[in-house]
Amino acid sequence: MYANGDVLVGEIIGTAILILFGAGVCAAVTLNYSKAKSAGWVVIAFGWGFGVLAGAYTAGPLSGGHLNPAVTLGIAIDTGEWGQVPLYVLGQMIGAILGAVLCWAAYYAQFRANADNETALPTLGIFSTAPEIRNTTANLVTEIIATVGLVLPILAFGLTKGLGESGTATLIVAFLVVGIGLSLGGPTGYAINPARDLGPRIAHALLPIPNKGSSDWSYSWIPVAGPLIGGALSGLIFNAAF
């Protein structure tokens, strides 16, 4: 059990780092006048994976480095310990918004230049996810499946002796996120984390980004509900099977 203050601070810092790296790689690939312009999906998948790596290792000593309400929910269902769940989620949401703001600050000049370019892509995709084909059922199912693919292995890693003590589990989770992005990210952009999508979406709505377009609130519930359902199912499956 981590101290309440450590949980809050750890999740804020760790999730901010996660989003700074993740939104940062999306900005690098999307915005005009970026040296990584059009670098592609593989670069994005590895950028998010390295964001998990940096964020989780940084937050680990303070909070265990959940960085994701779906992970927190799955662990709570598995362990039956719910007392600190609100602190984890609060820290994750604050950190996600903060990380998005830091990404905007880092790419401030590119965001301004992007607004003056007729071929510029919309900026919401830098911050949050969107489906390639809008189908509520299919999009929700994709997010549920992808999140089970994240949370269930995370729970199972705890059964392998030595992974936690050595810190290797965090490295494996980072590569797991890369794998999910490469294999399951095509339909919806693999939110697999309510804070990762909702926090930056809030930042996108509030930040003074020129010609930023819609924040697409009509879709925003799917990358929240899908991962939460997937996290809950993971906890239930883990309890039943292991």
Side-chain angles (χ1 to χ4, degrees):
M1 181 71 72
Y2 299 95
N4 288 342
D6 288 347
V7 167
L8 185 61
V9 171
E11 291 298 298
I12 290 173
I13 294 173
T15 310
I17 292 172
L18 164 64
I19 301 301
L20 175 60
F21 277 48
V25 73
C26 291
V29 170
T30 301
L31 293 173
N32 289 302
Y33 311 106
S34 163
K35 292 183 182 297
K37 170 71 174 175
S38 301
W41 188 252
V42 173
V43 170
I44 290 174
F46 272 94
W48 277 104
F50 289 134
V52 170
L53 185 73
Y57 270 126
T58 303
L62 293 172
S63 66
H66 294 188
L67 315 186
N68 183 342
V71 171
T72 299
L73 178 59
I75 291 173
I77 290 174
D78 173 40
T79 63
E81 297 177 359
W82 293 87
Q84 292 184 316
V85 168
L87 277 176
Y88 273 97
V89 175
L90 177 62
Q92 290 153 4
M93 284 300 302
I94 294 172
I97 294 171
L98 176 60
V101 172
L102 291 173
C103 169
W104 167 76
Y107 280 90
Y108 178 78
Q110 280 71 30
F111 276 110
R112 287 183 60 85
N114 190 70
D116 299 327
N117 192 305
E118 294 181 356
T119 64
L121 296 173
T123 59
L124 179 61
I126 294 169
F127 296 90
S128 297
T129 62
E132 285 297 300
I133 299 173
R134 285 185 179 264
N135 181 306
T136 298
T137 301
N139 299 155
L140 185 64
V141 168
T142 295
E143 285 295 328
I144 292 170
I145 292 171
T147 306
V148 171
L150 171 70
V151 179
L152 186 57
I154 287 175
L155 295 174
F157 292 159
L159 299 177
T160 303
K161 185 177 180 180
L163 279 183
E165 291 83 353
S166 67
T168 309
T170 301
L171 176 62
I172 295 173
V173 170
F175 280 110
L176 174 63
V177 171
V178 173
I180 291 170
L182 293 176
S183 59
L184 299 174
T188 62
Y190 73 116
I192 60 174
N193 180 341
R196 168 264 176 274
D197 193 273
L198 182 58
R201 196 181 297 270
I202 292 171
H204 178 267
L206 297 176
L207 285 169
I209 302 170
N211 299 330
K212 64 184 173 183
S214 168
S215 296
D216 197 9
W217 290 108
S218 64
Y219 178 76
S220 65
W221 68 273
I222 290 177
V224 172
L228 289 177
I229 295 169
L233 286 175
S234 298
L236 294 172
I237 293 168
F238 184 77
N239 274 343
F242 292 89

